[in-house]
Amino acid sequence: MEKIKKLQRIPEKGWIAGICVGFAYYFAEPVWVIRLIWTAAVFLGMGSGLFLYILLWIFMPKIKATPEDYNEKVA
C-alpha cells in the first residue's frame, strides 16, 4: 500500500514558514524551482502571491515530523 502525500508545510526545512518546501515535497520538485515560481508570483502578480503565501501560512497544516521519504536532494 502506497503512502498518500498530503500538502503540509515543513518549517524545519524552510526559510520562513516551510510553504515552498511543503510544495516541493508534495510535487517532488527541487525547492529552488518552487521558490522561483513563488517569487515570480509575488512580483508579477501585483502582490497576490504574497497574500496567498500569508493565507497558506495561516491555514496550511504544519507537518508533525519530517517524513522518512523526504529527499534532501529535493530541498
Side-chain angles (χ1 to χ4, degrees):
M1 190 161 122
E2 188 174 325
K3 189 175 182 180
I4 299 173
K5 289 184 184 179
K6 295 180 182 177
L7 185 58
Q8 298 174 326
R9 60 190 182 96
I10 307 173
E12 295 82 23
K13 301 289 182 181
W15 288 353
I16 299 174
I19 303 290
C20 292
V21 176
F23 274 97
Y25 172 69
Y26 185 78
F27 292 114
E29 293 292 329
V31 73
W32 67 268
V33 172
I34 304 298
R35 287 183 177 135
L36 183 67
I37 292 170
W38 209 272
T39 303
V42 168
F43 289 111
L44 299 176
M46 304 299 179
S48 61
L50 182 61
F51 180 69
L52 181 60
Y53 191 89
I54 292 170
L55 284 177
L56 287 171
W57 193 347
I58 294 168
F59 293 110
M60 192 172 176
K62 183 169 79 169
I63 200 163
K64 297 188 183 352
T66 303
E68 60 274 353
D69 63 339
Y70 179 78
N71 186 356
E72 288 291 335
K73 294 177 188 170
V74 172

